[in-house]
Amino acid sequence: MFGFLTRKQKDKKQQNQSEPVQASIDANFEAKDEAEALETETLPESSSAEPTPADLSQSLEKTKRTFSDGMADFFLGKKAIDNTLLDELETRLITADVGIDATTTIIDELQSNISRKVINDAESLQLKLAEIMKAILLPCEQPLSAAIKATPAKPFVILVVGINGAGKTTSIGKLAHHFKQQGKSVILAAGDTFRAAAVEQLQQWGQRNDVPVISQGTGADPASVIFDAVESASSKNIDIVIADTAGRLHTQDNLMDELAKIKRVLGKLDATAPHETLIVMDAGFGQNALHQVQQFNKSIGLTGLAVTKLDGTAKGGILFSIAKTLSLPVRFIGVGEGINDLRPFDATEFVDALLE
């Protein structure tokens, strides 16, 4: 019925069968990884005044332009609720990187409601669209704070993984701020001992947040650094350890083995550690990044995602694709450069901002 979706499904099948395409994807990530090794992440300037969190609707402006430009006209007026209208909506969803599975769910649900006369005008169509989109995302709304409360272990160890360039170190600094605002004590572990200036960057974030950073310098054994951090936190009754790791791809076997080693070493202190393996994912990479997350999950096991840079991409619909293809909580979303702009994910707030 919906020709555009059929073509997209065919293209997806062909892509999955094409090894050269995947090789090209991995090569792009490798190039980005190498480039980021020569750069440093920008550290927000310190200020005595607490920055105001970014407005979510404004932060999603690029995605809204892809998805919602013309939506006012799309929903207003006495348009016929027919296949032509749904085809147009389907195109907008795909363009915003909502993904094939999520788009199929949305369109099928709308078609069913139209057939049952639940939807009979543009207003009811918009309301039902919002309802369906929220229902897709709600299973992903699982705050990390709730997981911490439910875990008796102390310290609670968060192992942060991902490729360079996704905003991993910056996200760690913002996480430290987030937990301090909740009254938690925090230690950072500088486990990214490979990338130039990574240790220094984390130390800057530690100073900014007034939290200690355990480090051993560039080239040190990451497992040893993180082990020391957890031991120190345990002796000082610290609530949370956030451990940085070297950026890597699933194709880098030696680095993936290193993550497995870190987990084994932590297990000597606490059989349940790390209590959270959080991957930082750049929303701008869209479906390619989603593939990488899937491979990380197969290799080391993930328990949550932080989706960053939603303010700088038109592909914010990737959250719906995440919800349909991964059984992982979205712990945080990054919607700006401010220290308060890594915020716990709220499905209702996100959809309302997207459709505003």
Side-chain angles (χ1 to χ4, degrees):
M1 181 179 293
F2 306 111
F4 184 82
L5 184 56
T6 302
R7 291 194 301 274
K8 292 295 289 187
Q9 290 171 324
K10 181 180 179 181
D11 291 345
K12 181 181 179 183
K13 180 178 180 181
Q14 291 174 341
Q15 182 175 355
N16 288 341
Q17 294 174 342
S18 173
E19 290 297 328
V21 170
Q22 183 55 52
S24 175
I25 290 172
D26 288 343
N28 288 338
F29 274 89
E30 291 278 8
K32 175 113 180 139
D33 196 55
E34 292 175 3
E36 287 292 337
L38 303 176
E39 300 178 359
T40 58
E41 296 179 62
T42 302
L43 183 71
E45 295 182 3
S46 181
S47 171
S48 57
E50 186 70 19
T52 302
D55 178 83
L56 184 57
S57 179
Q58 293 179 359
S59 296
L60 296 176
E61 192 60 39
K62 289 188 177 181
T63 298
K64 287 174 64 177
R65 283 203 299 269
T66 298
F67 178 66
S68 300
D69 264 11
M71 286 292 270
D73 294 334
F74 180 78
F75 284 118
L76 289 176
K78 297 182 178 179
K79 289 188 175 181
I81 307 301
D82 54 19
N83 289 340
T84 300
L85 194 67
L86 291 182
D87 279 342
E88 184 179 348
L89 176 59
E90 174 189 276
T91 300
R92 292 179 184 275
L93 292 169
I94 293 291
T95 304
D97 225 355
V98 169
I100 299 296
D101 292 341
T103 297
T104 299
T105 296
I106 292 169
I107 296 299
D108 286 352
E109 286 279 345
L110 290 175
Q111 181 65 59
S112 174
N113 278 273
I114 291 170
S115 299
R116 292 184 289 108
K117 306 298 183 182
V118 174
I119 296 175
N120 49 32
D121 57 22
E123 182 180 0
S124 58
L125 174 64
Q126 185 174 17
L127 290 173
K128 183 57 67 172
L129 173 63
E131 180 184 316
I132 295 168
M133 293 173 79
K134 290 173 185 177
I136 291 173
L137 292 182
L138 276 171
C140 293
E141 187 185 306
Q142 300 178 42
L144 186 53
S145 57
I148 293 173
K149 289 180 181 178
T151 303
K154 190 172 183 179
F156 186 93
V157 182
I158 304 171
L159 189 66
V160 182
V161 303
I163 68 163
N164 283 331
K168 186 161 49 68
T169 305
T170 298
S171 295
I172 290 172
K174 293 178 180 180
L175 281 174
H177 175 77
H178 170 76
F179 290 124
K180 282 204 69 179
Q181 292 296 104
Q182 293 185 337
K184 303 289 186 182
S185 53
V186 180
I187 276 183
L188 304 182
D192 183 354
T193 61
F194 292 93
R195 187 167 61 88
V199 174
E200 180 183 350
Q201 290 167 23
L202 202 66
Q203 288 171 336
Q204 289 178 323
W205 274 110
Q207 293 171 2
R208 171 78 185 278
N209 289 304
D210 192 26
V211 301
V213 178
I214 305 300
S215 65
Q216 296 179 11
T218 303
D221 177 29
S224 176
V225 175
I226 297 171
F227 183 91
D228 286 351
V230 176
E231 267 198 327
S232 177
S234 181
S235 66
K236 296 174 182 177
N237 202 32
I238 299 295
D239 296 315
I240 297 172
V241 174
I242 308 176
D244 195 7
T245 61
R248 69 206 73 212
L249 300 177
H250 70 281
T251 54
Q252 297 171 313
D253 292 338
N254 60 321
L255 293 177
M256 296 304 290
D257 289 344
E258 178 195 291
L259 282 179
K261 176 185 174 182
I262 291 171
K263 287 194 168 188
R264 288 196 306 271
V265 169
L266 287 175
K268 295 178 181 179
L269 288 174
D270 180 349
T272 64
H275 309 101
E276 174 83 359
T277 302
L278 181 75
I279 188 166
V280 176
M281 169 185 165
D282 184 340
F285 283 118
Q287 297 296 319
N288 290 349
L290 185 61
H291 170 75
Q292 300 296 332
V293 172
Q294 289 174 310
Q295 295 302 318
F296 265 88
N297 195 31
K298 289 179 182 178
S299 297
I300 60 170
L302 301 171
T303 55
L305 293 94
V307 183
T308 63
K309 306 183 184 181
L310 282 165
D311 57 312
T313 181
K315 298 181 178 181
I318 191 65
L319 286 175
F320 296 93
S321 192
I322 288 170
K324 293 296 290 186
T325 59
L326 297 171
S327 56
L328 289 172
V330 177
R331 303 296 199 187
F332 297 92
I333 57 172
V335 294
E337 296 182 358
I339 198 167
N340 288 311
D341 292 334
L342 185 71
R343 62 180 71 181
F345 176 58
D346 183 313
T348 298
E349 180 187 36
F350 182 84
V351 173
D352 287 344
L354 195 63
L355 296 179
E356 187 177 84

